[in-house]
């Protein structure tokens, strides 16, 4: 905790030093805000000319000069009215606006060298205490985060207390760049996103579509084995459905505009849950049938601003790994435990063995349902989590307005946390849709509802998978498992027969029969991160054998086709758990 506090102070001071450097290098630039953030700091600037990567190097150099000068950070207090007036006279309208909204009669200012900034502090003693820093990137940002206001330029940087810490962080950034799923998606020919089609709308190429299909088939089998019934529901629905669910009243800014069909407004669906409840309502349910578990890989569409779209991680159209469970109140704890274990087992299958768990509780102000029911639900979740033996943290007030939830964040190969699985309790929709079951006394009773996603959206999950494995997916997930390559035309017939035999054994292959040197073929297939490369020359053809190379530059030598098939199938079955 103390280290984090020291880091925050250091990084906030670094933001001041960066702003001082920018003002000195680029006169006329207006400053906005410059806080410390989780991994560093930023400052927002209003400047007519765009900053360039080359400017970052100049700013770093000027910061180094300011650091060497070892200017003290000096705090002073000024009357608020005078401060606002002075900022306005200097043309610093953003600082004037911030100062005018401070409730105290006096405001604190921090001066270091020639730069004075409106700030609460605290800061390091002097600029010379900043030793390990790096400017990272430039981005756009709206003033106050409001798209109707001025567009500013944001410069991100980071700072650490030790050289080792900053070196480790920068190495992590470089590793993350190498693993960027957008680059991997292009290099491996998996998907594309084109503005002609629309931002945030994914075009899955043949190999990407196959990867998605592999995951979907696993998902369906896994859910059927765990007592779920599969559903398929329409992509659009009458606005009336989303009025009943409340989405139209509370979520309309994230929904696409209505389309009129025969004089009636329809919406493309942002959620699957309303339709799942309509399926539940088609017949009478006894307590003996509960829990009712529905699952659907439902494609939904949500409007996201273009500035937040990010490859597969933030899109506008996606396949939701959706499940909805209708339970009797006394079944809640057991079902929560069941869903949690199901989520963990699913994530482990994909190679995620480390995670952090959060229990998000009732929001302080905006929530539906009685506090007594919230307490009951939260206690049920706590009891379920205790039975797992897992350590979890309380996210106080972080629940949805309609109920508490469990969030599972997985840790990837380079230590980053990703939000995937979520289990959400819902007091709201059972009431809005007036669903019920017949209890053991023969009377109508209101059930509880659980929303749950094990992987999140498939688009986002595939993006996470690609970055976790740096594109080298496990055998069972690889769209192409084996590349067959001949040395020359004389082996083409043998390779064609070999390819057909591998396909008949459900092994996904490509035959690289191009008129290229074998070294070139091998290099290209290695770049495609294909798990196995089979090479056939005259010697192998005449003996009815194959030479096998495994990913990671492992030479497995020469073997029979049947032995190779057994090797691949055993690895595939072991890794997938299928």
């Amino acid at each position: 905790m103390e280290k984090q506090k020291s880091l925050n102070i250091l990084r906030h001071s670094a933001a001041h030093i960066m702003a001082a450097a920018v003002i000195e290098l680029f006169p006329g630039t207006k400053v906005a805000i410059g806080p410390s953030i989780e991994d560093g700091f930023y400052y927002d600037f209003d400047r007519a000319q765009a900053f360039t990567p080359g400017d970052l190097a100049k700013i770093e150099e000027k910061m180094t000069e300011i650091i060497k000068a070892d200017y003290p950070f000096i705090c002073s207090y000024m009357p608020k009215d005078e401060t606002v007036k002075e900022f306005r006279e200097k043309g610093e309208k953003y600082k004037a606006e911030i100062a005018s909204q401070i409730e105290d009669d006096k405001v604190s200012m921090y001066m270091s060298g020639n730069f004075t900034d409106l700030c609460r502090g605290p800061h390091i003693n002097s600029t010379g205490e900043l030793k390990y820093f790096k400017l990272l990137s430039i981005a756009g940002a709206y003033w106050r985060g409001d798209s109707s206001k001025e567009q500013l330029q944001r410069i991100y940087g980071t700072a650490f207390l030790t050289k080792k810490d900053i070196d480790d962080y920068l190495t992590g950034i470089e590793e993350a760049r190498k693993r960027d799923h957008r680059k991997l998606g292009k290099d491996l020919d998996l998907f594309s996103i084109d503005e002609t089609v629309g931002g945030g709308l994914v075009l899955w190429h043949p190999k990407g579509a196959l990867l998605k299909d592999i995951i979907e088939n696993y998902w369906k089998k896994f859910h059927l084995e765990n007592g779920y019934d599969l559903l398929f529901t329409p992509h659009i629905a009458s606005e009336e459905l989303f009025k009943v669910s409340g989405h139209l009243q509370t979520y309309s800014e994230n929904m696409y505009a209505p389309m009129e069909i025969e004089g009636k407004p329809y919406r493309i669906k942002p959620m699957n849950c309303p339709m799942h409840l309509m399926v539940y309502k088609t017949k009478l349910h006894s307590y003996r049938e509960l829990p009712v578990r529905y699952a659907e890989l439902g494609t939904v569409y949500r409007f996201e601003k273009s500035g937040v779209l990010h490859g597969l991680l933030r899109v506008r159209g996606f396949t939701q790994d959706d499940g909805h469970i209708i339970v009797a109140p006394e079944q809640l704890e057991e079902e929560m435990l069941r869903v949690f274990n199901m989520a963990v087992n699913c994530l482990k299958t994909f190679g995620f063995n480390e995670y952090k768990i959060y229990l998000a509780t009732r929001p302080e102000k905006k929530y539906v349902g009685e506090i007594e029911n919230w307490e009951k639900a939260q206690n049920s979740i706590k009891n379920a989590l205790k039975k797992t033996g897992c350590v979890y943290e309380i996210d106080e007030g972080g629940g949805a307005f309609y109920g508490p939830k469990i969030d599972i964040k997985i840790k990837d190969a380079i230590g980053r946390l990703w939000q995937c699985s979520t289990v959400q309790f819902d007091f709201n929709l059972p009431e809005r849709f007036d669903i019920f079951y017949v209890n053991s006394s023969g009377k109508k009773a209101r059930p509880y509802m659980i929303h749950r996603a094990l992987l999140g959206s498939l688009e986002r999950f595939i993006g996470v998978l690609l970055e976790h494995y740096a594109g080298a997916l496990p055998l069972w997930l690889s769209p192409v498992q084996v590349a067959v390559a001949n040395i020359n035309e004389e082996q083409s017939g043998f390779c064609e027969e070999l390819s057909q035999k591998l396909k008949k054994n459900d092994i996904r292959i490509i035959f690289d029969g191009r008129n290229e040197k074998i070294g070139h073929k091998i290099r290209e297939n290695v770049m495609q991160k294909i798990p196995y490369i089979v090479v056939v020359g005259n010697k192998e053809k005449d003996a009815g054998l194959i030479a096998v190379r495994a990913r990671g530059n492992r030479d497995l030598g020469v073997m029979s086709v049947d032995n190779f098939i057994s090797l691949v199938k055993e690895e595939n079955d072991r890794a997938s758990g299928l």
Side-chain angles (χ1 to χ4, degrees):
M1 187 65 73
E2 282 301 316
K3 181 180 178 182
Q4 188 58 52
K5 184 178 178 181
S6 297
L7 264 179
N8 291 339
I9 292 170
L10 182 76
R11 289 168 175 172
H12 185 45
S13 303
H16 276 236
I17 295 169
M18 179 175 72
V22 168
I23 295 301
E24 191 169 337
L25 287 169
F26 308 104
T29 301
K30 297 179 178 64
V31 293
I33 57 172
S36 65
I37 54 177
E38 184 178 358
D39 291 323
F41 60 89
Y42 71 79
Y43 216 115
D44 289 343
F45 301 98
D46 187 350
R47 179 175 178 244
Q49 189 175 346
F51 290 113
T52 67
D55 290 332
L56 295 188
K58 294 176 185 176
I59 297 167
E60 281 188 350
E61 188 177 341
K62 181 58 68 174
M63 289 175 69
T64 300
E65 290 178 18
I66 295 170
I67 291 165
K68 285 181 178 177
D70 200 20
Y71 298 119
F73 276 91
I74 300 171
C75 179
S76 61
Y77 290 88
M78 290 180 60
K80 182 174 80 172
D81 293 343
E82 284 184 28
T83 303
V84 172
K85 181 182 177 183
E86 186 174 321
F87 277 131
R88 284 176 178 161
E89 287 174 352
K90 290 180 179 179
E92 294 286 359
K93 63 177 184 177
Y94 304 105
K95 291 297 181 184
E97 182 179 324
I98 295 170
S100 68
Q101 294 171 350
I102 294 174
E103 294 181 359
D104 297 335
D105 293 333
K106 289 188 175 183
V107 297
S108 58
M109 308 284 285
Y110 275 84
M111 182 177 70
S112 53
N114 298 321
F115 181 68
T116 301
D117 203 357
L118 175 71
C119 183
R120 288 196 206 96
H123 284 281
I124 53 181
N125 294 316
S126 66
T127 60
E129 291 184 13
L130 176 63
K131 298 184 185 302
Y132 309 109
F133 73 96
K134 181 70 178 174
L135 300 189
L136 301 172
S137 61
I138 306 161
Y142 292 108
W143 173 234
R144 302 287 198 182
D146 186 340
S147 60
S148 67
K149 294 184 177 178
E150 294 90 336
Q151 172 92 53
L152 306 175
Q153 296 183 70
R154 177 171 294 177
I155 298 179
Y156 284 99
T158 193
F160 285 87
L161 298 168
T162 69
K163 186 176 187 303
K164 182 182 183 303
D165 286 346
I166 196 166
D167 286 347
D168 288 348
Y169 179 76
L170 294 176
T171 299
I173 288 179
E174 186 55 37
E175 184 62 32
R177 283 184 182 139
K178 291 177 187 174
R179 293 169 178 264
D180 190 322
H181 75 281
R182 294 168 297 181
K183 181 178 184 302
L184 290 168
K186 183 179 180 180
D187 292 345
L188 302 179
D189 195 21
L190 299 174
F191 68 90
S192 60
I193 297 172
D194 194 298
E195 288 299 324
T196 305
V197 176
L201 301 174
V202 183
L203 297 171
W204 290 102
H205 297 197
K207 287 197 292 182
L210 185 52
L211 169 59
K212 191 166 180 282
D213 186 62
I214 292 164
I215 295 172
E216 289 181 354
N217 286 336
Y218 163 80
W219 185 95
K220 290 173 186 175
K221 184 174 184 292
F222 186 64
H223 280 74
L224 289 171
E225 288 173 348
N226 279 274
Y228 283 75
D229 292 313
L230 301 183
L231 300 182
F232 292 103
T233 58
H235 287 235
I236 65 171
S238 165
E239 263 196 2
E240 185 60 32
L241 178 70
F242 301 115
K243 285 180 183 175
V244 175
S245 69
H247 288 108
L248 203 60
Q249 299 91 313
T250 61
Y251 200 73
S252 59
E253 70 275 9
N254 295 105
M255 296 173 67
Y256 281 92
M259 61 188 92
E260 190 173 297
I261 301 175
E262 296 181 337
K264 188 175 182 180
Y266 280 71
R267 295 271 186 158
I268 193 164
K269 68 175 177 180
M271 309 281 188
N272 299 301
C273 39
M275 296 187 185
H276 289 194
L277 286 174
M278 294 305 295
V279 172
Y280 180 86
K281 284 171 68 77
T282 57
K283 68 174 187 176
L284 192 65
H285 295 271
S286 160
Y287 71 97
R288 298 180 187 277
E289 298 173 57
L290 270 53
V292 170
R293 305 182 185 97
Y294 293 141
E296 179 181 12
L297 289 168
T299 302
V300 297
Y301 297 86
R302 300 176 188 175
F303 173 69
E304 299 278 4
K305 292 180 180 179
S306 57
V308 301
L309 297 176
H310 183 79
L312 297 178
L313 303 182
R314 196 77 177 262
V315 293
R316 288 173 172 163
F318 54 92
T319 305
Q320 184 71 35
D321 152 30
D322 236 339
H324 296 98
I325 307 166
I326 312 300
V327 297
E330 63 272 16
Q331 296 172 322
L332 180 60
E333 182 179 321
E334 181 182 351
E335 194 62 22
M336 280 293 199
L337 179 61
R338 179 190 179 95
V339 173
F340 177 83
N341 288 332
M342 189 178 172
V344 169
N345 289 335
C346 181
L347 293 171
K348 283 182 177 177
T349 299
F350 287 95
F352 297 106
N353 297 305
E354 292 186 67
Y355 43 83
K356 293 191 76 172
I357 304 161
Y358 299 86
L359 166 56
T361 60
R362 177 175 54 85
E364 187 176 347
K365 294 181 180 178
K366 293 185 178 181
Y367 62 90
V368 297
E370 300 298 323
I371 290 180
E372 180 183 343
N373 288 332
W374 275 85
E375 293 294 332
K376 182 177 180 181
Q378 287 169 184
N379 287 333
S380 294
I381 297 172
K382 286 178 183 177
N383 290 335
L385 287 172
K386 283 178 184 176
K387 288 179 181 178
T388 69
C390 294
V391 176
Y392 66 93
E393 296 179 26
I394 300 291
D395 178 9
E396 201 67 52
F401 76 91
Y402 50 77
K405 62 176 180 171
I406 301 171
D407 287 328
I408 301 176
K409 295 185 179 182
I410 56 176
K411 186 178 286 188
D412 72 6
I414 58 174
R416 296 172 299 179
L417 289 173
W418 301 87
Q419 173 66 58
C420 285
S421 303
T422 186
V423 186
Q424 301 180 347
F425 187 82
D426 192 343
F427 296 106
N428 186 44
L429 288 183
E431 292 283 346
R432 296 190 73 93
F433 280 86
D434 191 27
I435 65 169
F436 63 90
Y437 67 99
V438 178
N439 65 20
S440 58
S441 301
K443 296 180 180 179
K444 287 184 179 180
R446 184 78 71 207
Y448 287 168
M449 181 178 183
I450 300 170
H451 305 251
R452 41 103 294 181
L454 308 186
L455 306 178
S457 83
L458 292 200
E459 283 70 13
R460 186 172 185 276
F461 186 70
I462 289 172
V464 173
L465 272 177
L466 290 173
E467 299 207 3
H468 177 59
Y469 287 108
L473 295 168
L475 180 72
W476 76 281
L477 287 170
S478 296
V480 178
Q481 296 173 314
V482 179
V484 176
N486 59 327
I487 290 177
N488 57 49
E489 191 63 30
E490 292 180 42
Q491 302 93 38
S492 291
F494 179 85
C495 288
E496 290 283 5
E497 291 177 11
L498 169 63
S499 298
Q500 289 304 315
K501 186 170 184 177
L502 294 176
K503 287 178 182 177
K504 286 179 181 177
N505 280 274
D506 296 322
I507 297 172
R508 299 185 290 275
I509 73 104
I510 58 166
F511 169 36
D512 189 347
R514 295 175 297 163
N515 186 23
E516 297 281 359
K517 290 183 178 180
I518 190 63
H520 178 75
K521 290 183 183 181
I522 291 171
R523 281 193 300 275
E524 287 206 345
N525 285 300
V526 166
M527 293 295 290
Q528 286 296 300
K529 303 183 186 292
I530 296 171
Y532 290 102
I533 300 172
V534 168
V535 178
V536 178
N538 282 335
K539 184 178 177 181
E540 288 79 19
K541 183 193 75 168
D542 293 342
L545 301 173
I546 55 176
V548 181
R549 291 169 174 260
R551 193 162 52 197
N553 200 28
R554 292 183 295 132
D555 185 353
L556 302 187
V558 175
M559 64 181 71
S560 72
V561 175
D562 288 341
N563 283 349
F564 177 66
I565 289 171
S566 296
L567 180 153
V568 173
K569 293 179 81 170
E570 285 174 14
E571 181 183 342
N572 192 60
D573 293 345
R574 184 173 63 251
S576 68
L578 295 174

